[in-house]
Amino acid sequence: MAATLAETGGHDRGQSPRPLWLRLLIITAIFGYALLFGEMFLRMLKPQALIPRYVTAGPEGVRANMPDTVFRQWTPEVDVTLRYNAAGMRDDRPPPPLEKAPGECRIALLGDSYFVGFESRFEDSFAVRLEEELARRGRPCRVLNFAVSGFGHAEMLATLESRVRPWAPDLMLASVHSTDGFDNLRAGLFRPGPQGLEPTGQTFLPGVAISDRLNGFAAYRWAQENSHLYSAGREWAGGMGKQLLSILRVQQANADAGDEPEAAPDAEDNGTETPRYVASQPLNAALIRQLARESEATGARLMLFEIPIAGRRTGYYPIAENLLGAELLAQVPFASPAPAFNAMKAPDVQLYTEKGHKHWTPLGNRVAARVAADAMFAQQLLPAPQSIDASVGSPSSTLPASS
Amino acid sequence: MLFQTIPFFIFFAFVFAAYWALQKQLVWQNRLLLLASYVFYGWWDIRFLVLIVGGTAFAYILTPAVAGKDLPRRQLLEGLGLTLAGALVSFLPDVADGWRYLLATLGLMGLATGIVLALDRMADSEQRARLALTIGTIALLCLIGVFKYFNFFADSFVRVAGLFGGDVTWTTANIVLPVGISFFTFQIIGYLVDVRRGDFPPSASVLTFASFVAYFPQLVAGPIERASHLYGQFLKPRRMTAEGLKSGALLFLWGMYKKVVIADNLAPITNDIFGRAGTATTGELLVGILAFAFQIYGDFSGYTDMARGVARMMGFELMLNFKLPYFSRTPSEFWTRWHISLSSWLRDYLYISLGGNRGSTLMTYRNLFLTMLLGGLWHGASWTFVLWGAFHGFILVVYRLADVDRRVMPSVNGWMATNPVVGLAANTVLVSIMFALTLLGWLFFRAPDMATVGHYLAGMISGFDMRADAWGKLAFFTLPLIMVQCWQRWTDKLEFLAQSPPFVRLNLVLFLVFSLVFLSPREASDFIYFAF
């Protein structure tokens, strides 16, 4: 007769208990085998997007790209190599000298992974396409890519002074993305106050200390770029952490505003549910106004550029008005590729990747860059060419052959 | 509270821990189970708790009369007390709106008391028993009728009246269907019939009886248990063994895989194709119906496996509800493999009550057909379910007319012994024919209306374009199941996980766990049979 669990403490009688070391060994072996099994399972049945970020702590207390890093991103759709140059810009070229040549035009890109050009080859990235569009229009500019994966406006503002200003850009092009509202809130760096933006925190480095430590191990770096199981686990953990932090900060923001708590956004959100973003709107608007002021202090204009939410080739939804409010958008130079994207929508037109992290495809980058260049010319945001510096030229002429 | 969601895991962890702690106190363990079952049921909508509590109490106080015995006053008071407690819990949270229902419940309690007391005064115990069973059955069927079929008949009435220019829309009431109502009422009716037939002694413990009716693993979607099988398990201490815990957990895991990975991933294919049946290609229509066949199997048998797994972990054994149904060779075999608890219920309490095969051949066919027709209607108030039941009744009659079970099957079984190749080929042909008929039945079952049935049938026979985008997805999610089921059929090991060698089991468990983590849709969805 079988003994009950209470009598045996969970073990069947009649078996001599294994020594502890053997049990530990078996558990370790099973765990290792399970990891191997999981890796094989994912590779065969559900390949994951391998999107390492290589961000580290910047001197301003927010994230920065790791300088002089070359890494690979792989998804079932793309296989690309990314290079962060010595200044931490996503660029296959070395950073230009700080000192601007006479007549040289510089544009600083402030944004997240869309502007970094994740899931795109360098020559297909938004930054390069923008340089090409401007060169084609007879106003060559060097695009300095200060975008960092995961950045919101709070972090852009935190890095403007030290990271961007020394390069004396003529135009700051900042992205407006659906994640910005919650990124701004969860960063906890600023809050809107009666006198404008008030600093509330010194640093925002989510998970950076751990990843910095882990990046010291070659096995970890290998796993980031090659392990599907690691990638899946990381996305899950990162997503959960982000969600939790968002909920906490949204509740806090609502409590400050005296409103009821609202839910954090989900990935399928088409951006049409305005109330979800209301909690972050005052902070977003204050951050953009401050960004505009700081840009002007640098001698540059600020332009906002929207990253629409993609609906699987069925439509592209604007988000900026929900995030920033119509009033602010009327005051700050702004452009959105959403109308151009929607004009192109068709079952066989792919503007966003679909098997990775939904970044722009080469076509998406090209269309977005064309819209941005059109807007820059239409709104006369670029300085009038005093003399066109031939050394800037077209980016394709300066690209290394290996890229 | 769905089995595959976090709230259930938390709920079960607490219940299991408390249940374990109470291992040597049977009464307290049963009390815990009853409380847990009512919490589980009330989780959906606490107002409906009164239905299961009231149904249980009514059957409990009626039982002595059904057995032809006098009603002990203690039993009457226990039943009324249970109903009152259930009504207070159900309606007090929203007393502003609930007081009317509370009064109605008190009124029904008064009526029920009057009925059982009147029955108690009847001198003829045989007449009393017959009348009590009739009243009990009608009352319970009325409960299903009101909540499940009222809308259907009211809407049909409105439509018919509309044809003659009448407006009777005031008859519609938009009554919400309480989850699991068809299951627990059938379980109670089965119990009453068993008591009447003398197959089971009348219950004299409100706690045991209520626990039997409401036992949470099988409460909302079966298996529809028999008193002779489950009731007795509440009377003696359950043995919680490591083996039971392990095999229960493995059964739960397999059930969850079938529900979450197979059924929930096939659901979008089915919904898409049935939603545009008029414009889909033949290939898409075929994919749609195949996807639904595996979806409903994964969904319902997955639920049953999870229910049986949870019960087994607590030392209970629930009846088998599915036994590789798509390997059936004849309709009669299909109904011994698909939703066994319902088909055997219909056989024992409806088909036999109608006369079974005791009358003429024609009467047997009529009884078969009627049983399946009513079985179809049990699934829901819709003409498509009626058609599905009628179709299964029809093919049962046709196979019986051809005498396949008695003439063909012995030969095929004989070939399997003497000439396996021929036997296997014959079995394959029979299984394929039956599977095709089952698919046709599923078309009636799944179609939202008769127009869709028409579109579907027209599309299936009018074209040869077998292209469909979803073939790959269908194969991806069904092939592992098909392989496992072939293995189960070949080895005759239904619980293949628990019966596999350790290393094979480890790999299978890892496959299931990784599939659950990485291949399941983001949102948990209801079980199809919750709607029945």
XYZ file of all heavy atoms in Angstrom, chain B residues 36-73:
303
model
N -13.797 26.098 -0.701
C -12.956 26.394 -1.875
C -13.780 26.316 -3.154
O -13.630 27.147 -4.059
C -11.784 25.418 -1.941
N -14.667 25.337 -3.222
C -15.487 25.177 -4.426
C -16.426 26.366 -4.605
O -16.616 26.859 -5.715
C -16.307 23.887 -4.335
O -15.445 22.781 -4.237
N -16.997 26.829 -3.522
C -17.901 27.980 -3.632
C -17.129 29.260 -3.965
O -17.617 30.108 -4.710
C -18.716 28.138 -2.351
C -19.848 27.113 -2.227
C -20.447 26.836 -1.009
C -20.316 26.417 -3.344
C -21.478 25.903 -0.901
C -21.334 25.484 -3.249
C -21.907 25.222 -2.024
O -22.914 24.304 -1.933
N -15.926 29.377 -3.410
C -15.086 30.539 -3.773
C -14.761 30.469 -5.266
O -14.876 31.454 -6.002
C -13.789 30.562 -2.942
C -12.799 31.584 -3.497
C -14.098 30.876 -1.480
N -14.384 29.287 -5.717
C -14.029 29.068 -7.132
C -15.215 29.440 -8.032
O -15.059 30.122 -9.039
C -13.661 27.588 -7.305
C -13.246 27.188 -8.681
C -11.977 27.443 -9.136
C -14.126 26.537 -9.529
C -11.574 27.058 -10.406
C -13.739 26.155 -10.804
C -12.456 26.411 -11.243
N -16.400 29.001 -7.647
C -17.577 29.270 -8.478
C -17.974 30.745 -8.389
O -18.303 31.378 -9.396
C -18.744 28.385 -8.047
C -19.863 28.407 -9.053
C -19.739 27.743 -10.267
C -21.031 29.116 -8.806
C -20.748 27.776 -11.203
C -22.043 29.160 -9.746
C -21.904 28.485 -10.943
O -22.899 28.535 -11.886
N -17.939 31.278 -7.161
C -18.340 32.675 -6.969
C -17.387 33.657 -7.612
O -17.723 34.822 -7.831
N -16.192 33.192 -7.942
C -15.188 34.059 -8.572
C -15.716 34.644 -9.877
O -15.423 35.773 -10.239
C -13.929 33.237 -8.830
C -12.702 34.052 -9.051
C -12.235 34.532 -10.246
C -11.771 34.487 -8.064
N -11.070 35.216 -10.061
C -10.760 35.214 -8.729
C -11.684 34.325 -6.690
C -9.688 35.778 -8.050
C -10.611 34.885 -6.016
C -9.632 35.604 -6.700
N -16.506 33.857 -10.617
C -17.047 34.349 -11.899
C -18.082 35.440 -11.642
O -18.020 36.501 -12.206
C -17.684 33.201 -12.689
C -16.719 32.526 -13.567
C -16.333 32.935 -14.804
C -15.984 31.332 -13.300
N -15.397 32.054 -15.320
C -15.169 31.062 -14.419
C -15.938 30.452 -12.222
C -14.336 29.968 -14.506
C -15.099 29.358 -12.298
C -14.307 29.133 -13.429
N -19.042 35.102 -10.819
C -20.104 36.052 -10.506
C -20.763 35.546 -9.226
O -21.462 34.531 -9.248
C -21.130 36.107 -11.651
C -22.092 37.269 -11.486
O -22.339 37.655 -10.331
O -22.584 37.783 -12.511
N -20.548 36.270 -8.179
C -20.973 35.765 -6.866
C -22.494 35.613 -6.792
O -23.012 34.793 -6.031
C -20.421 36.681 -5.738
C -20.484 35.938 -4.405
C -21.160 37.996 -5.679
C -19.646 36.507 -3.318
N -23.225 36.349 -7.638
C -24.691 36.266 -7.587
C -25.186 34.875 -7.984
O -26.252 34.448 -7.562
C -25.314 37.312 -8.519
C -25.098 38.743 -8.060
C -25.499 39.704 -9.126
N -24.800 39.417 -10.382
C -25.115 39.955 -11.549
N -26.105 40.796 -11.634
N -24.427 39.656 -12.641
N -24.395 34.202 -8.840
C -24.852 32.896 -9.317
C -24.583 31.772 -8.309
O -24.993 30.639 -8.522
C -24.198 32.560 -10.656
C -24.708 33.426 -11.774
C -23.851 33.923 -12.738
C -26.050 33.743 -11.865
C -24.323 34.726 -13.767
C -26.531 34.548 -12.891
C -25.667 35.038 -13.840
N -23.877 32.130 -7.239
C -23.612 31.122 -6.215
C -24.916 30.558 -5.669
O -25.021 29.371 -5.332
C -22.787 31.768 -5.093
C -22.108 30.839 -4.100
C -21.155 29.894 -4.801
C -21.360 31.651 -3.056
N -25.917 31.420 -5.617
C -27.204 30.991 -5.060
C -27.820 29.866 -5.898
O -28.572 29.039 -5.375
C -28.158 32.207 -4.947
C -28.718 32.609 -6.291
C -29.286 31.898 -3.969
N -27.500 29.823 -7.180
C -28.081 28.785 -8.044
C -27.576 27.408 -7.645
O -28.358 26.475 -7.479
C -27.729 29.054 -9.513
C -28.320 30.314 -10.122
C -27.852 30.453 -11.554
C -29.844 30.251 -10.071
N -26.263 27.302 -7.512
C -25.713 25.981 -7.180
C -26.077 25.597 -5.743
O -26.432 24.449 -5.458
C -24.181 25.926 -7.434
C -23.691 24.497 -7.263
C -23.400 26.851 -6.564
C -22.297 24.272 -7.763
N -26.056 26.596 -4.853
C -26.404 26.312 -3.462
C -27.875 25.915 -3.374
O -28.241 24.920 -2.727
C -26.095 27.545 -2.578
C -26.654 27.345 -1.185
C -24.598 27.772 -2.501
N -28.740 26.678 -4.048
C -30.179 26.393 -4.023
C -30.491 25.039 -4.657
O -31.278 24.260 -4.112
N -29.851 24.764 -5.806
C -30.069 23.479 -6.485
C -29.639 22.320 -5.604
O -30.320 21.297 -5.496
N -28.497 22.499 -4.948
C -27.981 21.455 -4.054
C -28.942 21.226 -2.891
O -29.309 20.092 -2.573
C -26.599 21.884 -3.503
O -25.731 22.155 -4.594
C -25.995 20.813 -2.624
N -29.349 22.334 -2.262
C -30.205 22.216 -1.080
C -31.554 21.595 -1.440
O -32.077 20.751 -0.704
C -30.407 23.597 -0.457
N -32.092 22.001 -2.592
C -33.391 21.457 -3.001
C -33.289 19.943 -3.218
O -34.143 19.175 -2.750
C -33.869 22.159 -4.274
C -35.219 21.682 -4.732
C -36.336 21.755 -3.901
C -35.380 21.147 -6.003
C -37.586 21.296 -4.325
C -36.623 20.697 -6.440
C -37.723 20.777 -5.598
N -32.242 19.527 -3.922
C -32.070 18.087 -4.152
C -31.856 17.356 -2.837
O -32.340 16.242 -2.646
C -30.878 17.858 -5.088
N -31.153 18.021 -1.931
C -30.847 17.382 -0.638
C -32.116 17.124 0.181
O -32.295 16.041 0.750
C -29.875 18.285 0.134
C -29.480 17.749 1.481
C -28.750 16.576 1.604
C -29.843 18.431 2.649
C -28.381 16.087 2.848
C -29.481 17.952 3.890
C -28.758 16.788 3.990
O -28.394 16.293 5.227
N -33.002 18.138 0.206
C -34.209 17.931 1.021
C -35.241 17.074 0.284
O -36.161 16.542 0.885
C -34.839 19.283 1.476
C -35.219 20.159 0.278
C -33.894 20.027 2.396
C -35.971 21.438 0.675
N -35.078 16.934 -1.020
C -35.998 16.110 -1.803
C -35.590 14.631 -1.772
O -36.410 13.750 -2.032
C -36.001 16.635 -3.252
C -37.184 16.268 -4.146
C -38.470 16.883 -3.622
C -36.927 16.759 -5.570
N -34.323 14.400 -1.496
C -33.774 13.042 -1.597
C -34.562 11.991 -0.800
O -34.864 10.925 -1.342
C -32.290 13.040 -1.160
O -31.590 13.937 -1.998
C -31.677 11.656 -1.313
N -34.896 12.262 0.463
C -35.637 11.223 1.189
C -36.936 10.834 0.475
O -37.263 9.648 0.395
C -35.927 11.882 2.542
C -34.860 12.904 2.706
C -34.612 13.428 1.328
N -37.643 11.839 -0.058
C -38.884 11.533 -0.762
C -38.609 10.709 -2.010
O -39.342 9.764 -2.334
C -39.603 12.831 -1.127
N -37.521 11.034 -2.726
C -37.157 10.270 -3.929
C -36.852 8.819 -3.558
O -37.141 7.895 -4.327
C -35.937 10.926 -4.634
C -35.425 10.046 -5.765
C -36.306 12.294 -5.170
N -36.320 8.639 -2.352
C -36.022 7.276 -1.898
C -37.243 6.627 -1.253
O -37.156 5.494 -0.765
C -34.865 7.319 -0.899
N -38.369 7.370 -1.228
C -39.597 6.832 -0.641
C -39.561 6.838 0.873
O -40.285 6.088 1.535
N -38.726 7.718 1.453
C -38.611 7.762 2.913
C -39.144 9.091 3.459
O -39.376 10.032 2.695
C -37.138 7.592 3.317
C -36.584 6.225 2.970
C -35.123 6.146 3.328
C -34.584 4.763 2.959
N -33.138 4.705 3.066
N -39.273 9.132 4.783
C -39.711 10.374 5.416
C -38.551 11.361 5.501
O -37.389 10.952 5.599
C -40.235 10.090 6.824
C -41.516 9.275 6.770
O -42.184 9.317 5.707
O -41.821 8.580 7.754
N -38.922 12.633 5.500
C -37.893 13.682 5.549
C -37.548 13.994 7.004
O -38.395 14.499 7.744
C -38.417 14.948 4.846
C -37.561 16.193 4.968
C -36.255 16.039 4.223
C -38.317 17.415 4.435
N -36.297 13.733 7.412
C -35.913 14.143 8.771
C -35.916 15.673 8.858
O -35.465 16.351 7.918
C -34.500 13.588 8.938
C -34.319 12.620 7.815
C -35.213 13.065 6.723
N -36.429 16.212 9.961
C -36.509 17.676 10.101
C -35.108 18.311 10.070
O -34.927 19.416 9.589
C -37.234 18.042 11.398
C -38.722 17.696 11.348
C -39.432 18.518 10.239
N -40.819 18.135 10.072
C -41.255 17.231 9.170
N -40.417 16.621 8.342
N -42.540 16.938 9.082
